Amino acid sequence: MNIVVCVKYVPDAAADQKFEDDNTVDRIGVDGLLSELDEYAVEQALQIKETGDDPDSTVVTVLSMGPEQATVAVRKALQMGADKGVHVVDDALAGSDALATSLVLAEAIKKLGAGPGWDLVVCGMESTDGGMGVIPAMLSERLGVPGVTLGSEITVSSKEGGAVVRIRRNGDASTDTIEGTLPLVLSVTDQSCEVRYPSFKGIMAAKKKPVETWSLGDLGVGPGQVGSGAAWSVVESAIPRPARTAGEIVTDGDGSGAKALVDFLASKKFI
Amino acid sequence: MPEVLVLIERVEVDGVREVTKPSLELLTIARRLGDPSAVVIGSPDADVAGTLKKYGAAKIYSVSTGEGAEDAGVSGYLVAPEAEVLAQLIEKTSPAAVLVVSTGRGKEIAGRLAVKTESGLITDAVDVTAADGTPTTKQSVFAGSFVVQARVTKGTPIITVKPNSVTPEEVDGAGSDVAEEAFAVTISDAAKGAKVTGAEPRKASGRPELTEAAIVVSGGRGTGGDFEPIQAFADSLGAAVGASRAAVDSGWYPHSFQVGQTGKTVSPQLYVANGISGAIQHRAGMQTSKTIVAVNTDEEAPIFELVDFGVVGDLHTVLPAATDAINRGR
Ligand SMILES: Cc1cc2nc3c(=O)[nH]c(=O)nc-3n(C[C@H](O)[C@H](O)[C@H](O)COP(=O)(O)OP(=O)(O)OC[C@H]3O[C@@H](n4cnc5c(N)ncnc54)[C@H](O)[C@@H]3O)c2cc1C
Ligand SMILES: Nc1ncnc2c1ncn2[C@@H]1O[C@H](COP(=O)(O)O)[C@@H](O)[C@H]1O
């Protein structure tokens, strides 16, 4: 089986997030890392490989589109246990929207599949840097395969006619069971598993794992199809919300805290 | 005026299918952009049609696939058929915009539709206004620390709107000349790849819906696993109950009540955080609440940077005493 995991390099949420002068997210000036929500995608791909019928012939490829530094994200996934990496990097990609990102990732997946084919694409539930949570659905649309998304529990079983992926999905009104037959795009939530830490052995092994770097030219995508110039929506302004003014803080002692709390709620007419 | 397509969501409440409040909010927003056309998968019964008209639908499309039970050709599968329905309606009506509720489902439908129709997409809008005939959106990003204004520049603007962005408004004298139009669609086999094979409806909590509640009382790791004081305090205020991920991950409260980046976004009149430190990912789900209150034993907890009022104290003593006072009429 060939599994492709899509992972994004994102600014560290603990650092100050900000916009560039052209209203795009600053991805260069802050420290970045493998999106924590994509660690769940890597973990699921590894578990599917390890618990599958044929771990030895299953290949997990990590795919990331992003700036030079995005190799950090690819490396981390390799340390966790993925087999090889592909990093799509090109100056023209700066400022790409979800439509362009999904186009590039879809073309990269097709190129990866040109030899042995691909069976399963695994994504995270959304990018932690204000992502839209739409890339997996867009990939499914562009690749013409089912999208089985937002799984909080995942099982893969072999059946006649191909392996079946079954998920539980927590919807607003109900919890659903959803299934599809490979090949398909799967996305997984942070409820789906515990993520492993890279072991010392994994960190050493990752140094020898191959990472290919592809440009837009390698994918047959024109520079005019991506980047801020090709975006199908524009950000007109990005204004920091005024900081909240510090409120009143009281220290509880002998029940004074509860009384002060109730008085505050009454003063605001909540009771 | 051009049509504005609004995808209507319905939920089953006690065996009756009702229009969700966020769908009615979309109708109110749609009226700013053109004539709202409600898109209902399956045929709406008289009550549903009546509600849609009352809230300003100028037209109702009842979509059917001719595949057995009411809407089996659409609802038995995951989102792809809904995107096909909307794509066919865009073709037919050339609308000014398409509005969908910003849920996991809604965003996926919108994403697929954008690819299909080569249209710009904006997700998680908290406001939509019309400027020079085109919709302009506001989004709250980076855990609510920035407000971004954006516009679609290609194709049909496809916009997903967060619940609670506006108050649904009834329209005076609406309803008399509303056209109901049956719209028959064929769903491709490709759209039927992800099949819904089972659904367990969520049990009613007896409390207000988390994302719609005027007051939300949340508990975190500081509860130590005991949500009783949180629930009792919530009930004294008629509030919904929320939880931090630490509380959910510990198995103390169900995931459907998680507030934050990977849970629900709430924006109530009052948010009370108890035993919650205020991590950035939690703030992402509650930072835009009008009034914020916290109870926490640690005066250094980051949540106190956000609050209008805070109590440095133990929730296990502060909350029961406050609950008592409120229940006794203070
Ligand atoms: C990708 C990602 C997504 C995430 N998504 C979410 C999300 O959606 N929602 C979310 O909440 N978190 C989310 N998190 C986790 C988040 O980073 C925090 O770990 C989490 O919010 C902490 O929960 P907490 O505040 O309950 O626990 P803690 O941070 O442990 O805080 C507990 C607080 O309780 C106080 N306390 C202890 N005892 C008492 C007492 N007796 N009375 C009063 N106060 C007491 C302590 O002083 C402390 O401030 C996410 C993390 C990541 C990496
Ligand atoms: N630039 C990227 N490179 C690789 N994968 C990505 C990229 N952007 C998004 N993804 C994948 O798509 C998922 C959803 O992202 P988003 O729609 O941006 O919220 C992420 O969790 C990743 O798995």
Side-chain angles (χ1 to χ4, degrees):
Chain A
M1 180 145 79
N2 281 297
I3 306 177
V4 182
V5 191
C6 296
V7 303
K8 188 173 182 184
Y9 171 81
V10 296
D12 189 344
D16 243 0
Q17 298 188 54
K18 55 187 198 305
F19 284 90
E20 302 265 28
D21 294 340
D22 64 354
N23 287 333
T24 59
V25 176
D26 179 359
R27 292 182 198 285
I28 311 294
V30 289
D31 282 344
L33 38 73
L34 165 61
S35 168
E36 277 151 316
L37 293 174
D38 293 347
E39 292 183 2
Y40 294 89
V42 176
E43 178 65 38
Q44 285 295 345
L46 295 174
Q47 288 188 16
I48 291 169
K49 169 176 169 150
E50 288 157 4
T51 59
D53 295 337
D54 198 359
D56 292 337
S57 68
T58 298
V59 179
V60 175
T61 307
V62 264
L63 168 63
S64 189
M65 168 190 132
E68 288 300 335
Q69 299 94 315
T71 43
V72 170
V74 176
R75 283 285 161 209
K76 172 87 186 277
L78 295 178
Q79 291 173 353
M80 288 172 69
D83 301 296
K84 60 191 179 87
V86 171
H87 178 192
V88 182
V89 52
D90 201 302
D91 289 344
L93 285 169
S96 291
D97 61 2
L99 286 141
T101 302
S102 65
L103 173 70
V104 170
L105 293 175
E107 290 307 318
I109 291 164
K110 286 184 202 161
K111 185 172 156 80
L112 271 169
W118 60 270
D119 306 281
L120 178 62
V121 175
V122 191
C123 291
M125 63 189 285
E126 65 181 35
S127 308
T128 52
D129 58 340
M132 303 160 80
V134 295
I135 297 287
M138 287 181 167
L139 283 179
S140 145
E141 189 70 37
R142 290 193 187 276
L143 295 167
V145 299
V148 175
T149 48
L150 298 175
S152 60
E153 239 177 83
I154 290 95
T155 47
V156 180
S157 51
S158 338
K159 262 199 190 161
E160 241 175 278
V164 170
V165 175
R166 181 174 301 121
I167 62 163
R168 273 171 73 82
R169 174 171 161 134
N170 295 321
D172 284 329
S174 61
T175 298
D176 300 334
T177 313
I178 290 153
E179 62 178 50
T181 307
L182 297 185
L184 56 74
V185 176
L186 166 71
S187 82
V188 302
T189 74
D190 59 341
Q191 297 285 302
S192 64
C193 57
E194 295 273 329
V195 171
R196 74 190 64 185
Y197 290 103
S199 64
F200 179 71
K201 209 172 130 221
I203 293 170
M204 298 313 287
K207 297 194 166 132
K208 296 195 204 72
K209 290 177 180 171
V211 177
E212 284 187 44
T213 305
W214 293 350
S215 66
L216 284 181
D218 294 322
L219 299 177
V221 175
Q225 290 174 273
V226 297
S228 39
W232 293 353
S233 56
V234 286
V235 171
E236 294 176 324
S237 66
I239 301 162
R241 186 181 288 278
R244 294 188 86 104
T245 42
E248 187 194 347
I249 314 249
V250 301
T251 301
D252 184 38
D254 301 336
S256 62
K259 182 170 186 319
L261 172 59
V262 173
D263 288 346
F264 173 80
L265 295 178
S267 75
K268 293 281 181 184
K269 308 244 177 320
F270 289 116
I271 45 178
Chain B
M1 284 223 279
E3 287 183 46
V4 177
L5 298 178
V6 174
L7 182 63
I8 299 298
E9 281 182 342
R10 290 183 289 171
V11 284
E12 203 164 304
V13 183
D14 301 327
V16 182
R17 287 226 261 165
E18 290 177 0
V19 179
T20 63
K21 181 165 164 275
S23 298
L24 300 178
E25 293 166 13
L26 294 188
L27 288 175
T28 297
I29 288 176
R31 282 167 47 215
R32 302 173 184 164
L33 312 172
D35 289 329
S37 293
V39 180
V40 182
I41 310 290
S43 48
D45 55 35
D47 279 355
V48 165
T51 305
L52 295 174
K53 288 173 193 172
K54 191 157 86 186
Y55 285 92
K59 197 177 216 176
I60 299 173
Y61 291 106
S62 45
V63 178
S64 63
T65 57
E67 289 182 45
E70 191 180 270
D71 52 4
V74 176
S75 62
Y77 305 91
L78 192 64
V79 307
E82 275 130 309
E84 285 194 352
V85 168
L86 289 174
Q88 291 173 38
L89 273 168
I90 287 181
E91 178 90 356
K92 176 184 147 85
T93 63
S94 309
V98 181
L99 303 182
V100 182
V101 180
S102 220
T103 53
R105 254 189 102 79
K107 288 202 278 189
E108 289 188 11
I109 293 169
R112 286 175 177 274
L113 187 61
V115 170
K116 268 186 206 301
T117 61
E118 306 214 333
S119 293
L121 166 68
I122 291 172
T123 57
D124 296 321
V126 292
D127 197 15
V128 187
T129 48
D132 318 327
T134 60
T136 301
T137 60
K138 284 210 168 70
Q139 293 155 290
S140 177
V141 306
F142 294 163
S145 57
F146 278 82
V147 176
V148 164
Q149 183 168 311
R151 198 162 42 81
V152 163
T153 51
K154 185 170 176 202
T156 307
I158 299 171
I159 302 168
T160 76
V161 183
K162 287 214 164 194
N164 258 347
S165 295
V166 294
T167 309
E169 285 165 21
E170 294 186 21
V171 179
D172 279 347
S176 46
D177 55 356
V178 173
E180 279 190 60
E181 195 174 315
F183 186 67
V185 289
T186 326
I187 302 298
S188 72
D189 286 341
K192 295 180 179 171
K195 208 169 168 204
V196 181
T197 55
E200 302 155 26
R202 229 176 72 200
K203 284 191 210 70
S205 67
R207 297 195 175 88
E209 190 60 41
L210 182 54
T211 51
E212 294 171 10
I215 305 180
V216 174
V217 174
S218 287
R221 202 192 309 272
T223 60
D226 179 9
F227 262 65
E228 186 46 43
I230 307 289
Q231 290 179 327
F233 185 60
D235 290 342
S236 76
L237 293 169
V241 172
S244 73
R245 185 166 104 169
V248 170
D249 283 354
S250 307
W252 301 340
Y253 224 68
H255 178 248
S256 49
F257 296 92
Q258 182 178 315
V259 172
Q261 184 182 3
T262 55
K264 299 269 162 32
T265 309
V266 299
S267 198
Q269 297 299 319
L270 171 65
Y271 187 85
V272 189
N274 304 288
I276 293 177
S277 61
I280 179 95
Q281 296 90 353
H282 188 79
R283 290 154 91 139
M286 46 67 73
Q287 186 137 265
T288 58
S289 305
K290 309 289 173 303
T291 300
I292 299 176
V293 169
V295 179
N296 196 306
T297 42
D298 176 9
E299 61 179 331
E300 305 275 300
I303 191 79
F304 284 130
E305 293 162 17
L306 291 185
V307 300
D308 297 286
F309 186 80
V311 180
V312 179
D314 189 334
L315 71 89
H316 294 104
T317 53
V318 174
L319 291 187
T323 307
D324 248 20
I326 295 168
N327 287 343
R328 282 196 324 259
R330 334 185 15 231

